[in-house]
Amino acid sequence: MPFILDTKTGNSFKYPVNIPHINGEGLPEKIGFKMVFRRFSRSSYLALQDDLDGRDIQGGLLRDVDYVLRVADGWEGIAGPDAAELPFTAENIKTLLDHYPAAAGAIVDAFHDAVLRGGVARGN
């Protein structure tokens, strides 16, 4: 059966993100959840990278929040202290990235893995 080039595969997809973290016992663990990433063609991805490279956003945290808002539409599996699912907002993204310093890198790595490598690096 031939490969069918489908350019209408949907606007977003869920993809796992694992943030490396040291727990209260001093042991490494991974905190997992799913991001709902936007689907990018190669040309739109390159345009996004060019646009972000040219932006002058003060502070790394705000730059990272901006990036997450540009590449994702939501998340699943992130709850607040009351165990209710947290909405995907700039403020909640900022809180996540601020309290878990490895989160930004984990989200960017997952996005690049999914968009540029089709999840092959993770065996997805």
Side-chain angles (χ1 to χ4, degrees):
M1 179 178 230
F3 168 72
I4 298 172
L5 178 60
D6 183 5
T7 59
K8 297 180 181 176
T9 57
N11 293 330
S12 60
F13 59 93
K14 296 174 187 171
Y15 197 77
V17 174
N18 292 298
I19 302 170
H21 176 70
I22 302 297
N23 67 20
E25 303 296 319
L27 300 172
E29 65 180 9
K30 296 213 178 207
I31 299 167
F33 59 94
K34 289 189 178 179
M35 290 294 298
V36 180
F37 287 122
R38 293 183 179 139
R39 195 172 297 280
F40 282 78
S41 65
R42 181 155 175 81
S43 55
S44 350
Y45 172 80
L46 292 172
L48 169 73
Q49 294 305 111
D50 286 345
D51 183 44
L52 291 173
D53 288 344
R55 297 187 82 186
D56 183 25
I57 299 174
Q58 296 297 318
L61 183 57
L62 295 178
R63 181 189 62 239
D64 292 344
V65 169
D66 181 60
Y67 190 85
V68 172
L69 287 169
R70 287 169 155 246
V71 302
D73 287 327
W75 56 30
E76 289 182 357
I78 298 182
D82 60 357
E85 186 91 6
L86 281 178
F88 184 73
T89 65
E91 190 60 35
N92 286 337
I93 295 166
K94 182 179 174 188
T95 300
L96 172 69
L97 301 183
D98 192 32
H99 288 272
Y100 294 90
I107 292 169
V108 170
D109 287 348
F111 175 69
H112 288 183
D113 180 51
V115 172
L116 299 178
R117 294 179 287 280
V120 172
R122 293 187 183 189
N124 293 334

